[in-house]
Amino acid sequence: MSLSPSQVIVLATPVFLLLIGLECAWGALRGRNTYRLNDAINSISLGMLSEASGVLLKLFRIGVYTALAGSIALWRNDAFWLSLPGWLLALLFYDFCYYWQHRCAHRVAVLWATHVVHHQSQDYNLSTALRQPSTGSWFNWVFYVPMALAGVPPLVFGTVALIDLLYQFWVHTEHVGKLGWFDRWFCSPSNHRVHHAVNDEYLDRNYGGILIVWDRLFGSFHEEEGRAVYGTRAPLDSWDPLWSNLEVYWALAQDSWHARSWGDKLRVWIEPPGWRPADVVQRFPKAPFDVAQVQRFHPPVAPAVAAFAAAQFVLLLGGVVAFLWNADDLALPELVVWLAALGAGLWAVGAVLQGRLTVPQVLLVEAGALATATAAAGLVGWHQVFKPLAMVLAIACVLQRGLAPRFQALLVAALAFSLAGDVALMLPNLFIPGLVGFLLAHLCYLALFRQGVPWFPSGRALAGTLALGACMYAFLFPHLGPVLKVAVAAYTCVIALMAAQAIGRATVLRDPGAVAVAIGALFFMLSDSTLAVNKFALALPMAQFAVLVTYYVAQVLIAVNATPASGVAARASRESTPAHANPAA
């Protein structure tokens, strides 16, 4: 029985977790605990996300290497590479290429963006070893082209890559001191602690994967001499695994956008991390790094919430293990669907640990993700459980928030009508009743978004949403029967007005919650448009997945963020709006 790399990781996972548990227990016994629950969950979550997304990217990574090895190899001798000397040479060759890939990842900004995830933890323990990025495959393959030129077979390449990665697990610990002669030749805990430090003397040192000899040869070695401070010089300060992978890309994109010179717009991406154009520094200054001012990110969390997050994490770990073990038997659309569901769950766990979501809101996100995944995967029975459950949880989330009575009643009514529409659409021959349910839901949302602000305070938003609705209706019109022509026209008009009111409300209130609600309203338009096009005009790939993802994003954004306008904001909006623009004036 041959195992895929993902299945090897699955079999290694209990060993990783056992060693993490032993290290944690050892630290507790010695009075030197190096673990925090929130940080460990975040690090392992990033490893889970990396492996799960890697299932998709492996087609690219392995496919590129296989294509290169088959077309540009200068020497073909599989018999040699499959012999013991060949395996050892391939491992040495890979480790040499890894050294240069790793060094460039610290010296080129866009490559640092692919690698920074591994360094974001401010703790240093075995869970940190599992903290891996999800975007490394985009660029890293370039550094292994020499192995393809040498004719190293893809099987050998993939195996030595896995060996090199697994070796590095054990060096992420503070409980193993210096090891004498071993430190002079190999990457060891002492050598790698230096690599993870942000101290001036340690920065960008000790890149070796298995051998530290490369650092000694190429001038990047530094001995461990004093206490290391871990993390990055631009702290992440978040438990969000998705943002962890994207934060440096976003920072680079912002600097590139703000740079006035076209040359600087490009240099932002290829200069060393931290480099910024002079004009950007002047207009958007950042405080210089001071290691003495580093503070550990540790937002408070109630013990019950921490226990809940840990339980959810364990369930998600089981889901990722099942996903990885069965990944080779799943079609690409199924891989995408379950990866999205697992990613949503991991994001929600990070959000509750950070205080951004409540426990019921986490359950809402997870129910929506499972409703989407089970529908797209054809698991009808489970879908019929999770789809209504998601709306019930949305109502519970709203009731927990304790909003103003009229505002809360409208929001609950909108969600209740959405629940009715969901149930109707799951049953045969009830499309029109389902459409009516959602029409009533959108009318409730329209009335909700009117609370505290004038009708349609943004003329441009009103014109824009009505124009989009008109274009969509014109596209659908030839494909509709007489009854549906009327029903879809009314529905299109209502949802366009609802979105216009939400956007106008955001322009008046100018608070993050109102903006999130406006974005949710736009997702509603996108979801309903996708549903209509797929049902009446044109079969779309993965349509059900797209419809439900956008639908639940809309519902979550509104249920979590919709808030009555404050007295000051409402009064200011009325005073700033001409009487002729406010029919209620």
Side-chain angles (χ1 to χ4, degrees):
M1 175 183 177
S2 61
L3 298 174
S4 69
S6 296
Q7 291 175 326
V8 172
I9 293 295
V10 167
L11 295 178
T13 297
V15 179
F16 292 153
L17 296 178
L18 175 62
L19 292 173
I20 286 172
L22 290 173
E23 183 190 32
C24 186
W26 178 256
L29 288 173
R30 293 188 61 194
R32 192 185 170 203
N33 181 29
T34 58
Y35 280 87
R36 292 177 295 153
L37 178 66
N38 45 20
D39 180 85
I41 286 178
N42 185 240
S43 290
I44 301 172
S45 294
L46 281 158
M48 293 157 60
L49 187 62
S50 175
E51 286 299 321
S53 61
V55 169
L56 295 177
L57 292 174
K58 77 175 183 180
L59 301 174
F60 169 77
R61 182 176 66 247
I62 295 175
V64 168
Y65 184 85
T66 301
L68 289 173
S71 59
I72 67 171
L74 301 178
W75 183 61
R76 302 178 188 276
N77 191 338
D78 287 5
F80 168 75
W81 289 114
L82 292 169
S83 67
L84 180 59
W87 279 102
L88 293 175
L89 179 59
L91 181 59
L92 185 68
F93 198 170
Y94 182 91
D95 200 54
F96 175 75
C97 294
Y98 172 83
Y99 168 84
W100 286 107
Q101 177 254 305
H102 196 183
R103 184 166 181 168
C104 288
H106 281 254
R107 303 305 301 154
V108 178
V110 69
L111 299 183
W112 173 242
T114 71
H115 179 62
V116 65
V117 168
H118 185 61
H119 286 264
Q120 288 162 340
S121 175
Q122 294 174 304
D123 297 338
Y124 189 78
N125 51 52
L126 292 177
S127 74
T128 310
L130 303 182
R131 188 183 188 95
Q132 296 294 326
S134 299
T135 63
S137 297
W138 296 356
F139 302 106
N140 291 349
W141 62 270
V142 173
F143 295 89
Y144 303 98
V145 170
M147 296 185 71
L149 284 169
V152 178
L155 172 65
V156 176
F157 171 78
T159 303
V160 297
L162 189 60
I163 292 171
D164 206 276
L165 177 66
L166 292 175
Y167 171 86
Q168 295 175 53
F169 174 77
W170 79 281
V171 302
H172 293 80
T173 180
E174 292 193 84
H175 292 296
V176 176
K178 293 193 174 185
L179 299 176
W181 68 269
F182 190 90
D183 290 340
R184 292 193 291 274
W185 291 91
F186 295 96
C187 177
S188 65
S190 174
N191 291 333
H192 206 61
R193 285 193 289 270
V194 168
H195 177 70
H196 273 258
V198 293
N199 312 54
D200 288 339
E201 65 273 22
Y202 291 161
L203 196 65
D204 296 336
R205 298 288 183 171
N206 298 5
Y207 300 109
I210 294 179
L211 295 176
I212 205 69
V213 173
W214 311 123
D215 292 281
R216 294 181 182 275
L217 286 174
F218 300 113
S220 55
F221 178 77
H222 198 290
E223 191 83 24
E224 183 182 33
E225 295 170 344
R227 183 74 175 172
V229 177
Y230 303 112
T232 60
R233 292 197 162 196
L236 176 65
D237 288 346
S238 174
W239 302 132
D240 183 341
L242 304 181
W243 179 241
S244 178
N245 277 282
L246 299 175
E247 57 125 358
V248 173
Y249 291 107
W250 177 247
L252 293 175
Q254 285 183 305
D255 282 353
S256 181
W257 175 263
H258 291 140
R260 294 192 175 103
S261 161
W262 284 101
D264 284 344
K265 289 179 182 293
L266 174 63
R267 291 179 64 195
V268 161
W269 300 90
I270 59 178
E271 289 286 346
W275 182 88
R276 305 177 75 208
D279 63 297
V280 175
V281 171
Q282 183 178 13
R283 287 180 291 144
F284 305 96
K286 294 181 180 179
F289 176 77
D290 182 355
V291 71
Q293 300 299 316
V294 172
Q295 294 185 350
R296 184 171 288 185
F297 178 70
H298 193 70
V301 60
V305 174
F308 168 80
Q312 295 298 303
F313 169 75
V314 170
L315 292 174
L316 285 163
L317 178 60
V320 170
V321 165
F323 175 80
L324 293 175
W325 188 261
N326 295 289
D328 289 344
D329 298 325
L330 298 176
L332 181 60
E334 291 179 291
L335 292 174
V336 172
V337 164
W338 289 110
L339 175 60
L342 292 167
L346 291 171
W347 173 83
V349 169
V352 77
L353 285 172
Q354 202 170 327
R356 295 170 57 197
L357 291 181
T358 64
V359 168
Q361 289 168 354
V362 171
L363 295 175
L364 165 59
V365 170
E366 291 176 341
L370 288 171
T372 302
T374 51
L379 303 175
V380 177
W382 285 109
H383 175 65
Q384 291 176 341
V385 172
F386 288 117
K387 192 172 187 182
L389 177 60
M391 284 299 97
V392 171
L393 286 168
I395 293 171
C397 289
V398 171
L399 294 175
Q400 181 200 38
R401 295 177 61 199
L403 301 170
R406 177 175 172 78
F407 194 90
Q408 179 173 282
L410 284 169
L411 184 50
V412 169
L415 294 169
F417 282 124
S418 295
L419 172 59
D422 281 339
V423 172
L425 291 182
M426 287 192 299
L427 300 175
N429 304 317
L430 291 181
F431 179 78
I432 293 297
L435 194 67
V436 171
F438 283 113
L439 180 64
L440 293 173
H442 291 316
L443 286 171
C444 289
Y445 278 132
L446 178 60
L448 178 76
F449 302 151
R450 167 63 177 82
Q451 302 300 299
V453 298
W455 282 112
F456 309 116
S458 172
R460 286 187 296 180
L462 179 61
T465 57
L466 286 174
L468 287 173
C471 290
M472 179 56 61
Y473 185 70
F475 177 75
L476 295 173
F477 188 83
H479 307 280
L480 302 174
V483 175
L484 281 174
K485 282 185 168 107
V486 176
V488 172
Y491 189 90
T492 302
C493 184
V494 169
I495 196 170
L497 293 174
M498 181 271 292
Q501 184 64 29
I503 296 169
R505 187 172 189 269
T507 61
V508 170
L509 300 182
R510 298 182 183 276
D511 67 77
V515 172
V517 168
I519 294 171
L522 290 174
F523 270 105
F524 259 133
M525 289 193 72
L526 179 59
S527 178
D528 289 335
S529 298
T530 305
L531 173 64
V533 169
N534 183 69
K535 185 172 183 64
F536 300 121
L538 179 67
L540 301 174
M542 297 186 68
Q544 194 168 28
F545 175 71
V547 168
L548 290 175
V549 165
T550 49
Y551 171 69
Y552 284 116
V553 168
Q555 295 283 28
V556 169
L557 285 172
I558 294 172
V560 171
N561 293 287
T563 305
S566 67
V568 173
R571 185 167 58 253
S573 72
R574 287 193 295 269
E575 292 173 352
S576 64
T577 305
H580 64 79
N582 183 1

